[in-house]
Amino acid sequence: MPLGKILNLLLVALERISAKPAKVTDELQTTEELPSTILVENTKVGAATISNLSPSTETSIFPQLEVFEEKNAIAVSKLQDELHNFVSSNAEVEGAIIITIDGLALASVLAPGMNEELTAAMSASMLSLGERIGRELDRGAIERVVVEGERGYGVLVNCTQKTILLVLASSAAKQGILFLEIKQAVAEITPLLK
């Protein structure tokens, strides 16, 4: 069946359902009567099915979606606040970012000029590589991955099975204290990720 004819049949059906006249272009108008059921790609579509797609169904979905988005916004805001508190309360900590294992940033407090997307992607790759190395060397589950450079540390730890925390610390940080602070931060962040 030509596309124009299918569109016209759908417009006529919607016109009957809504009782409001639909605007149909001259090209699509036809004098054929709408059959009670239309077969489109082996799927029956009747007047009852089309009425289920009315605007009243759409509006009942949107409040649920808005509540879901609002809850997510609140959760991200709490994560952001928790990260900010962690970074600001530890003198040696210069930044932190929570990312998914896919490399997407959820919340971050990074130094100006740092690319959040690139940092998130590299961190996920680094942890994935660290876990593979741990398996190959028969070291068991990875507790943390540490990168030590002349200007400080980058420490990656798992928060949940699907999220990672990267902490950037200055070279003045003492590793034992830094690891303890990170462990405490993870304990406070993890409930917010569930």
Side-chain angles (χ1 to χ4, degrees):
M1 185 179 296
L3 180 61
K5 203 174 229 182
I6 292 171
L7 290 173
N8 187 45
L9 291 173
L10 287 173
L11 285 173
V12 171
L14 288 173
E15 188 175 74
R16 286 183 181 173
I17 292 168
S18 66
K20 293 181 182 176
K23 294 181 181 177
V24 182
T25 62
D26 292 337
E27 295 174 27
L28 297 178
Q29 287 182 347
T30 182
T31 57
E32 291 181 28
E33 190 64 30
L34 177 68
S36 61
T37 305
I38 305 167
L39 188 63
V40 180
E41 294 183 28
N42 298 327
T43 304
K44 287 186 177 184
V45 178
T49 306
I50 292 174
S51 68
N52 288 340
L53 300 175
S54 68
S56 63
T57 304
E58 269 182 36
T59 55
S60 67
I61 293 172
F62 289 126
Q64 294 169 350
L65 182 60
E66 288 172 4
V67 168
F68 176 75
E69 288 175 350
E70 186 176 315
K71 285 181 180 177
N72 278 345
I74 291 169
V76 169
S77 176
K78 287 180 180 178
L79 278 175
Q80 190 71 33
D81 290 345
E82 194 63 44
L83 271 186
H84 190 302
N85 290 339
F86 171 65
V87 172
S88 62
S89 65
N90 296 295
E92 290 82 19
V93 175
E94 298 173 342
I97 183 170
I98 299 172
I99 60 172
T100 65
I101 57 173
D102 299 325
L104 301 172
L106 298 176
S108 68
V109 177
L110 297 172
M114 285 194 72
N115 185 329
E116 181 181 79
E117 291 176 357
L118 183 61
T119 302
M122 286 188 310
S123 299
S125 296
M126 191 166 54
L127 186 65
S128 177
L129 182 60
E131 288 174 342
R132 182 163 181 205
I133 291 169
R135 278 193 308 272
E136 293 298 323
L137 298 177
D138 197 24
R139 297 296 98 190
I142 298 296
E143 189 173 326
R144 71 181 72 85
V145 174
V146 180
V147 175
E148 183 178 352
E150 59 188 41
R151 284 188 263 160
Y153 303 95
V155 182
L156 277 169
V157 294
N158 284 319
C159 287
T160 66
Q161 288 183 341
K162 296 186 178 187
T163 56
I164 305 162
L165 172 65
L166 168 68
V167 175
L168 303 171
S170 71
S171 57
K174 295 182 174 146
Q175 284 188 8
I177 294 172
L178 178 62
F179 295 159
L180 180 62
E181 290 171 344
I182 291 172
K183 191 178 268 190
Q184 290 170 347
V186 168
E188 292 174 13
I189 290 169
T190 302
L192 301 175
L193 294 168
K194 294 181 181 180

